Amino acid sequence: MSEVQPLSGNWLSERTHLRKSLRRTDVTFYLLCTLVGLDTIGSVAASGPQGLVWMVILAVVFFLPYGFLTTELGTAFPVEGGPYVWTKLAYGRLAAGVNQVLYWLSNPLWMGGTLAIIAVTTFETFFLPLGMAGKLVAGLAFIWIGVLAVAASLHVGKWVPIAGAFARIVLLGFFMISVVVYAVRYGVQPLAGADFIPTWSGFVVLVPVLIFNYVGFELPSTATEEMTDPQRTVPFAILRAGLSAFFLYGGPILGILLVVPASQIQGLGGFIDAAKQVLTVYGGSVAADGTVTLTGAGAVLGSVCAAGLIVGVLTSGVSWAIGAHRAQAVACADGSGPAYLGRLSEKHGTPIHVNVLSGVLASVVLVTALNLSGGDSEKYFTAGLALVICTTFISYLLTFPSMLVLRYRSPDVSRPFRAPFAWLITILTTGLVGFTVVVLIWPLELPSAFEGQRTEYTLSQVVPLLIVIGIGFLFYALGSPTRARDRELTSTSA
């Protein structure tokens, strides 16, 4: 990176607190934890067998091009902050700063929204019911355990996503083995060949969730300066984690379709319901009305799987937070936000201030959404997941084309990996995330939880998005003292 110095002097003083803690294997497991989100498996299965077909199609037209794109950017510009640095070099500090706020705030929205409610719903399904107060307490505990995990030094904190990756492999592997045992004993429901035929309506419904399943490749690059040999580590991790994630998604989705009738699969409870039904093979029964009761070994294994699922969704949030919080701290230290949020802990080398603020925001999201939805978990989950995807994907509308822009703006920068078909992969990735944003804000068919409530649904997306964008501009204004000092230092040195 001798050709380009993308960050201000203020960040250069903060970076002295960083320590190289991530090895190649660490980054691979970190990415695996990031890519395999247990919160969306049920949403894909709810669309039936064509969900598997669209998963394969999008692996070719999105997942693979996206991997090429982020590999080139991550190896050509190996600077802490990843997406913020790429967009700043491509479009300037203002655009990058607002874009980064969208990327960062999607994490507290996700933690306080879909992930917290998945954890709470899983607890209620396998352990005991919670009233409104119980949901709030459990959700807040979930959020702040995540805050503490992200606050630890990366040398320690990296073990959380590594543990999450192992939890996914064990949980999903055990689920698939149990599906086989269940099929041998009770048989499975037949899947008609016609149900695998991809349709336009299926595409519209599935693209947002499937693409959301496939994103996260850029996250290791937010901690580039904490890696050993990032230019070799990033391509290695993206290749191996990407292949593993594809199979870890496909197997459980097929398992759910073989066990749970399509009419009974919900986005929130699909994986939970399927796991419960499959575990009856070890002890339990399914009543005529579909009610599942676990007994004996089935109940014990159900509790273990429930705990594994809760750990899985918690580590998803932690792994994204590790990256998103670092990128936001870099942006603030660079003058795209309040300097206070750009400070790193001298002891841990982590962005403590951004981390705590994210925990507060996630808590506000949890309390507000539960009260607005009246405790309706499915409604809360639907609106929350759509909003998280929107905020993340709007940021990608700038991040993805930055590869092509930088090919022209910084042609002399060494690129250890050059993505093939640069124009094509930019159009595919950017076009698909743009399409996703449109259909989430104004879906052709409203989600069942919002049937007949288009205004309420649209407001649940548009109002928070406008607030987040407004925060981005506010942060940029608050970063003006840092930018002024940077200009003064530059003029003095000149």
Side-chain angles (χ1 to χ4, degrees):
M1 279 300 298
S2 58
E3 300 91 336
V4 182
Q5 180 48 260
L7 299 172
S8 72
N10 193 46
W11 167 250
L12 298 182
S13 64
E14 291 296 330
R15 70 189 295 192
T16 59
H17 304 311
L18 300 176
R19 301 289 182 270
K20 290 193 179 296
S21 305
L22 295 174
R23 299 166 300 172
R24 186 178 294 186
T25 304
D26 298 331
V27 177
T28 301
F29 281 108
Y30 171 71
L31 256 183
L32 190 59
C33 182
T34 300
L35 291 169
V36 183
L38 300 176
D39 55 322
T40 52
I41 289 176
S43 297
V44 178
S47 293
Q50 69 169 305
L52 288 170
V53 178
W54 282 118
M55 190 181 82
V56 174
I57 294 172
L58 287 170
V60 175
V61 300
F62 179 81
F63 199 37
L64 185 61
Y66 167 54
F68 287 152
L69 184 152
T70 49
T71 300
E72 174 170 326
L73 288 168
T75 53
F77 304 94
V79 179
E80 193 88 359
Y84 170 74
V85 174
W86 308 335
T87 51
K88 181 188 174 184
L89 291 173
Y91 317 108
R93 189 182 266 148
L94 173 59
V98 176
N99 201 55
Q100 176 53 42
V101 167
L102 279 159
Y103 188 72
W104 161 56
L105 283 179
S106 65
N107 185 259
L109 289 172
W110 194 34
M111 283 291 287
T114 59
L115 296 186
I117 206 63
I118 279 277
V120 169
T121 301
T122 301
F123 186 88
E124 287 189 305
T125 301
F126 284 93
F127 296 104
L128 53 91
L130 301 170
M132 177 65 81
K135 288 182 179 181
L136 286 172
V137 171
L140 289 172
F142 176 88
I143 289 167
W144 287 96
I145 289 172
V147 169
L148 291 173
V150 179
S153 65
L154 194 56
H155 180 70
V156 175
K158 70 180 182 181
W159 290 103
V160 175
I162 289 174
F166 276 108
R168 284 158 171 73
I169 293 170
V170 172
L171 176 64
L172 298 178
F174 178 70
F175 174 74
M176 288 309 301
I177 291 171
S178 299
V179 167
V180 173
V181 176
Y182 185 92
V184 171
R185 181 171 298 182
Y186 300 117
V188 295
Q189 58 179 2
L191 300 177
D195 293 336
F196 286 89
I197 298 174
T199 63
W200 169 250
S201 60
F203 174 77
V204 171
V205 170
L206 283 164
V207 162
V209 179
L210 282 172
I211 294 183
F212 186 62
N213 282 349
Y214 282 149
V215 296
F217 278 148
E218 73 284 349
L219 279 167
S221 293
T222 63
T224 293
E225 295 176 44
E226 297 167 84
M227 287 184 205
T228 56
D229 195 4
Q231 293 183 322
R232 292 178 181 270
T233 296
V234 169
F236 176 93
I238 285 178
L239 175 62
R240 284 154 180 77
L243 288 172
S244 301
F246 177 79
F247 291 107
L248 283 173
Y249 272 128
I253 291 170
L254 177 61
I256 293 173
L257 293 172
L258 291 172
V259 174
V260 182
S263 60
Q264 296 179 18
I265 301 174
Q266 290 186 320
L268 173 58
F271 182 72
I272 300 171
D273 294 340
K276 216 176 167 184
Q277 184 160 330
V278 165
L279 291 174
T280 58
V281 76
Y282 305 111
S285 60
V286 181
D289 62 357
T291 301
V292 178
T293 302
L294 294 176
T295 59
V300 174
L301 290 171
S303 299
V304 173
C305 288
L309 181 57
I310 292 171
V311 169
V313 294
L314 175 63
T315 53
S316 284
V318 169
S319 61
W320 273 84
I322 286 173
H325 293 186
R326 275 169 167 71
Q328 186 58 48
V330 170
C332 290
D334 187 51
S336 294
Y340 175 78
L341 294 178
R343 295 175 190 163
L344 300 182
S345 165
E346 293 184 15
K347 180 179 180 181
H348 302 295
T350 53
I352 299 293
H353 299 158
V354 173
N355 188 33
V356 172
L357 178 59
S358 296
V360 172
L361 293 174
S363 301
V364 171
V365 169
L366 175 72
V367 174
T368 303
L370 275 178
N371 280 284
L372 288 177
S373 65
D376 184 342
S377 296
E378 184 67 30
K379 193 171 188 178
Y380 177 20
F381 175 80
T382 300
L385 181 59
L387 181 59
V388 168
I389 297 174
C390 272
T391 52
T392 306
F393 283 17
I394 290 173
S395 75
Y396 286 150
L397 291 175
L398 283 187
T399 303
F400 289 173
S402 65
M403 181 199 71
L404 200 58
V405 173
L406 290 172
R407 285 268 186 105
Y408 293 96
R409 295 198 66 173
S410 303
D412 298 329
V413 170
S414 173
R415 288 171 168 78
F417 175 87
R418 287 182 69 88
F421 312 109
W423 275 96
L424 177 61
I425 66 175
T426 299
I427 291 169
L428 284 173
T429 53
T430 308
L432 283 167
V433 296
F435 175 82
T436 297
V437 170
V438 172
V439 299
L440 282 176
I441 293 176
W442 193 265
L444 297 179
E445 183 178 341
L446 285 171
S448 58
F450 283 89
E451 189 174 352
Q453 301 175 346
R454 180 169 289 278
T455 299
E456 184 179 349
Y457 174 81
T458 303
L459 289 176
S460 76
Q461 305 302 303
V462 174
V463 172
L465 284 172
L466 291 176
I467 291 172
V468 170
I469 293 171
I471 292 172
F473 282 101
L474 174 62
F475 267 37
Y476 187 78
L478 294 174
S480 59
T482 300
R483 298 194 299 275
R485 284 195 300 272
D486 195 41
R487 287 193 298 269
E488 186 177 326
L489 289 170
T490 302
S491 61
T492 301
S493 62

